[in-house]
Amino acid sequence: FLANVSHEIRTPMNAILGFADILQQQVGDPGQKAHLSSIQTSGQSLIGLLTDILDLSRAQSGGLGLEEAPASTRKIFVDLNEAFETRAGQKSLAFEMDLDGDLPAGIVVDERKLRRVLDNLVDNAVKFTESGRVRVSARAAASQTTESTVDLRIDVEDTGQGIPADQIDLVFEAFTQKKGQSINEFGGTGLGLALTKALLTEMGGRIHVESQ
């Protein structure tokens, strides 16, 4: 059902966005250009929401599948640092990256899904932290399963507002956000962490949260 609905909504949305792009090149009036920009921004947000809903549905049913391939471990974190260091700096936050020297140079993993998980977590950390720092650390330990695998532990820490103890168990539920959270200020749909957990579960991983 979700796959069909997603497809049926994407088709007209692509037409709307396509013609909005064409009009942006033809319209000269600043006010009309601003209206077109609103159409484009809202359309992209809608497509992003559809993608999250569809991916969450597929992940929860085990339908996304893994596309594992060799990947450079450090490049994943270097790219993460480049993506968020500037954003953190714009809020006067320190962005720290701590990579253990024992990290393997390469791992076989679904790199796209791992990057999406890290993007979701670090994006939340930066979004909900007004002062202090965001810190990402990674270390590897010998797996208890086979000699050819490692357990990769990644921690994302921040000095943000935190989550009340009675709501910690709710943060990974779909369409759920912290009570009293301002949608106008922070936006979001409450899907990011639910999708993150589903992706990690499909990859054989776990996610855990601690907060003050």
Side-chain angles (χ1 to χ4, degrees), residues 24 27-42:
Q24 275 284 16
V27 170
D29 180 81
Q32 292 178 344
K33 275 187 171 292
H35 294 327
L36 285 168
S37 293
S38 295
I39 292 174
Q40 291 169 310
T41 300
S42 298

Side-chain angles (χ1 to χ4, degrees), residues 32-202:
Q32 292 178 344
K33 275 187 171 292
H35 294 327
L36 285 168
S37 293
S38 295
I39 292 174
Q40 291 169 310
T41 300
S42 298
Q44 292 293 351
S45 296
L46 179 56
I47 287 181
L49 175 59
L50 287 170
T51 300
D52 284 347
I53 292 174
L54 186 57
D55 283 352
L56 178 62
S57 175
R58 286 174 173 169
Q60 289 178 335
S61 63
L64 274 178
L66 295 178
E67 299 177 8
E68 295 181 331
S72 168
T73 312
R74 291 190 176 273
K75 188 175 189 310
I76 291 173
F77 291 102
V78 167
D79 290 348
L80 188 72
N81 185 76
E82 290 180 353
F84 287 98
E85 189 175 36
T86 301
R87 281 186 51 194
Q90 290 172 345
K91 297 181 68 175
S92 298
L93 302 175
F95 190 78
E96 303 172 0
M97 187 76 69
D98 179 20
L99 305 182
D100 191 272
D102 291 334
L103 276 181
I107 53 176
V108 176
V109 69
D110 190 321
E111 185 176 352
R112 186 181 68 83
K113 290 187 178 64
L114 178 58
R115 285 177 180 269
R116 190 166 185 185
V117 163
L118 293 174
D119 283 347
N120 277 342
L121 294 177
V122 178
D123 182 67
N124 272 0
V126 173
K127 183 195 304 185
F128 292 105
T129 303
E130 294 305 319
S131 63
R133 66 177 173 84
V134 173
R135 184 172 186 267
V136 180
S137 60
R139 58 185 183 274
S143 172
Q144 303 298 315
T145 310
T146 68
E147 293 183 0
S148 63
T149 61
V150 296
D151 288 330
L152 189 64
R153 169 160 178 157
I154 303 168
D155 293 292
V156 179
E157 306 171 59
D158 65 68
T159 55
Q161 56 186 263
I163 305 169
D166 62 346
Q167 296 183 46
I168 283 182
D169 291 336
L170 302 177
V171 296
F172 296 113
E173 294 185 8
F175 301 106
T176 301
Q177 295 178 319
K178 193 177 79 171
K179 294 177 182 176
Q181 179 175 307
S182 170
I183 293 178
N184 289 332
E185 181 179 359
F186 296 110
T189 58
L191 281 177
L193 289 178
L195 181 57
T196 294
K197 182 177 181 179
L199 290 173
L200 281 172
T201 300
E202 190 162 8

